[in-house]
Amino acid sequence: ARFERNDYTGNEFLPNARLAWKLAPDHLLWSAVSRAVRAPSRLDHDAFVPGSPPYLLDGGAGVRSEIATVYEVGYRGRPVRRVSYSVTAFHADYDHLRSQEIDASGTFLFFGNEMEGTTRGVEMWATYQAAQNWRLSGGATFLDTDLRRKPGSTDPVGPRALGNDPSYQWLLRSALDLTPKHEIDITVRRVGALPNPAVPAYTAVDARLGWRFHKNAELSLALQNLIGDAHPEFAQLNVQSEYGRTVFLELLWRPSSR
């Protein structure tokens, strides 16, 4: 367990419990239950818009910590020497999520904690050592989010302002050592659409070529977003930045330790 103290909500208690069972030397089943807290920041407590009365947003003098109780169960194993993988299922219950409530006077907003909800999903990762100098890896995450206002909440926006996460993400990566001094990595990744603000799903391919020309130095060339048109990744339509093809050249030097 961990104890924390902050100036806004006082003491916070964050316990967790874990249990693992080694089914065989290369197979592990585990589970965990944890309590996590996001304590208020100064922005939550002391935000005023505009800077002097009359306010449209009158801070959050009574704002409290957001709480998550997270349940996890997972398995990781290595069925053969060259293959390893893991699968984790998770479920989280959220309470006291930050909201913007309308004051009884109807003339301004203030920060409250009148939203709750759940998330659930599965995360999977695997690695295959295809050869001594070639490793293949991949992973995927699937997420379902259900957030809602509590009874009595006057938040005009509701959960649309929270939980703007993709329902899935996956990637595949190839790491190949061409020679003892040359390596090439290629990654294909797919990110699902964001619901609000709406951002389309996209697929990206990245590549990196590295050259260790000295025991302490490495030169690398990285290429990002090799296929398709430029794409946005987050933010509202009127302020979205689009990411297109990008080239990076990097020189890395590691001084010898004495």
Side-chain angles (χ1 to χ4, degrees):
R2 188 173 75 211
F3 294 89
E4 293 182 354
R5 180 174 178 81
N6 66 81
D7 291 336
Y8 301 112
T9 62
N11 297 323
E12 298 287 0
F13 179 50
L14 296 89
N16 74 82
R18 296 180 176 272
L19 177 66
W21 179 21
K22 201 167 187 179
L23 304 170
D26 293 324
H27 300 274
L28 180 72
L29 182 66
W30 63 274
S31 62
V33 181
S34 310
R35 182 180 188 268
V37 166
R38 189 190 77 85
S41 66
R42 186 178 178 185
L43 179 63
D44 299 317
H45 193 270
D46 299 331
F48 300 96
V49 179
S52 58
Y55 299 119
L56 297 177
L57 175 63
D58 190 8
V63 73
R64 57 181 296 175
S65 295
E66 298 178 322
I67 297 174
T69 303
V70 183
Y71 307 89
E72 300 170 279
V73 59
Y75 168 81
R76 61 178 179 263
R78 190 175 63 179
V80 295
R81 185 173 59 87
R82 293 188 175 188
V83 176
S84 62
Y85 61 91
S86 67
V87 180
T88 303
F90 58 88
H91 175 95
D93 292 321
Y94 293 92
D95 199 6
H96 308 305
L97 296 178
R98 193 180 74 173
S99 60
Q100 296 185 71
E101 302 298 316
I102 302 176
D103 184 73
S105 66
T107 59
F108 63 88
L109 300 172
F110 65 92
F111 286 137
N113 298 89
E114 299 303 317
M115 277 194 277
E116 61 185 2
T118 61
T119 61
R120 63 194 67 84
V122 177
E123 182 176 324
M124 301 175 289
W125 298 96
T127 300
Y128 171 50
Q129 193 72 37
Q132 186 175 359
N133 63 333
W134 187 24
R135 185 173 68 254
L136 300 172
S137 58
T141 301
F142 301 92
L143 177 68
D144 178 60
T145 302
D146 180 18
L147 303 178
R148 56 193 173 272
R149 285 184 289 235
K150 291 185 177 182
S153 172
T154 58
D155 189 307
V157 178
R160 289 179 298 168
L162 300 175
N164 192 39
D165 301 302
S167 61
Y168 70 91
Q169 301 180 66
W170 59 259
L171 68 83
L172 299 172
R173 177 179 293 127
S174 169
L176 175 64
D177 292 334
L178 300 171
T179 72
K181 293 185 177 181
H182 299 85
E183 60 188 17
I184 183 170
D185 302 330
I186 298 177
T187 302
V188 181
R189 51 191 172 91
R190 174 76 175 177
V191 179
L194 298 182
N196 183 48
V199 177
Y202 66 90
T203 302
V205 177
D206 305 330
R208 176 186 173 276
L209 179 63
W211 173 33
R212 292 185 294 273
F213 62 90
H214 186 273
K215 65 177 182 179
N216 297 332
E218 179 179 312
L219 183 67
S220 63
L221 176 67
L223 309 174
Q224 295 184 347
N225 299 307
L226 295 179
I227 65 171
D229 299 325
H231 64 269
E233 295 186 359
F234 54 88
Q236 298 179 359
L237 181 62
N238 59 338
V239 294
Q240 284 178 353
S241 296
E242 292 194 344
Y243 295 83
R245 295 180 182 88
T246 310
V247 179
F248 294 95
L249 185 63
E250 181 183 49
L251 175 62
L252 182 62
W253 174 265
R254 299 183 181 90
S256 299
S257 58
R258 295 183 180 274

